[in-house]
Amino acid sequence: MHSIRTSIFALVACLAAMAAVAADDAEVKQFHFVLEAELPGDVHFAYALVTGDVSGWWDHTFSENPLRLYVDARPGGGFYEIFDEAGNGVEHARVIFARPGEKLTLAGPLGFSGWATEIVFTYEFETIETGSLLRLTVNGSGQMKEGWADSVEAVWRHFIFEQLVPYAQGRCEQENCR
């Protein structure tokens, strides 16, 4: 009898959660897109740009001035925003695949912390005549409101084309990466 009550309680809790989601006009959705950009330097230079300290080009954060914003590029590592000296912060995503100069895959809610949303993004690197080709594949699914998928793609376009590419060009000039 106890297990039946537990099951009924779990079902009622699940239905209540679904009703709350419906009340917020959020639905379970999914999206996919791929972006490609040419970066200066070899694939190891390009890989280094999206790992370690990314504060030079990543400009969407939970805190106004994070103490640290970095990607610990190893399986089990993550994309972290540290707010202060006490170590408060957020894990935006976790690293699920890392092969320097070739591929880096992360999974997490990114800016949707607190929502049942998962975004998996993969950076792949290829040598081309002018340097490196970065191919970013983004797949998202979960609880989303209307327009979120389009917003996510617009933000990634901003990150790659308006932030990362110019940052890479500047770093390459400073470090003579060619």
Side-chain angles (χ1 to χ4, degrees):
M1 188 65 156
H2 177 70
S3 64
I4 292 173
R5 270 188 257 150
T6 303
S7 296
I8 290 172
F9 178 77
L11 177 61
V12 169
C14 183
L15 291 173
M18 289 170 54
V21 168
D24 284 339
D25 296 328
E27 298 177 28
V28 175
K29 298 180 181 181
Q30 58 187 6
F31 61 87
H32 165 84
F33 59 89
V34 177
L35 302 175
E36 292 185 345
E38 291 185 22
L39 298 174
D42 68 15
V43 294
H44 294 285
F45 175 80
Y47 187 89
L49 294 170
V50 301
T51 60
D53 180 4
V54 296
S55 63
W57 63 273
W58 190 280
D59 64 352
H60 284 53
T61 58
F62 280 97
S63 63
E64 193 169 318
N65 290 310
L67 181 65
R68 290 190 66 205
L69 188 65
Y70 68 100
V71 175
D72 179 5
R74 60 185 173 82
F79 176 17
Y80 303 104
E81 176 182 347
I82 305 302
F83 301 153
D84 53 37
E85 292 290 342
N88 297 306
V90 62
E91 179 186 68
H92 292 293
R94 66 196 167 286
V95 174
I96 59 175
F97 187 97
R99 184 170 287 151
E102 292 180 32
K103 182 178 177 180
L104 178 68
T105 302
L106 296 96
L110 290 176
F112 299 104
S113 186
W115 291 83
T117 303
E118 182 84 342
I119 299 173
V120 178
F121 56 106
T122 300
Y123 300 104
E124 293 177 287
F125 305 88
E126 181 181 323
T127 300
I128 58 175
E129 189 174 314
T130 58
S132 301
L133 177 70
L134 165 66
R135 180 176 301 107
L136 171 72
T137 303
V138 179
N139 295 289
S141 63
Q143 180 185 24
M144 292 179 224
K145 291 187 177 187
E146 191 64 38
W148 281 10
D150 293 335
S151 294
V152 170
E153 184 171 352
V155 168
W156 274 107
R157 285 184 179 283
H158 164 76
F159 285 147
I160 299 302
F161 301 113
E162 296 173 22
Q163 295 294 116
L164 179 60
V165 170
Y167 177 75
Q169 292 166 341
R171 283 275 307 270
C172 189
E173 288 173 13
Q174 289 175 348
E175 299 174 23
N176 195 20
C177 69
R178 296 191 192 268

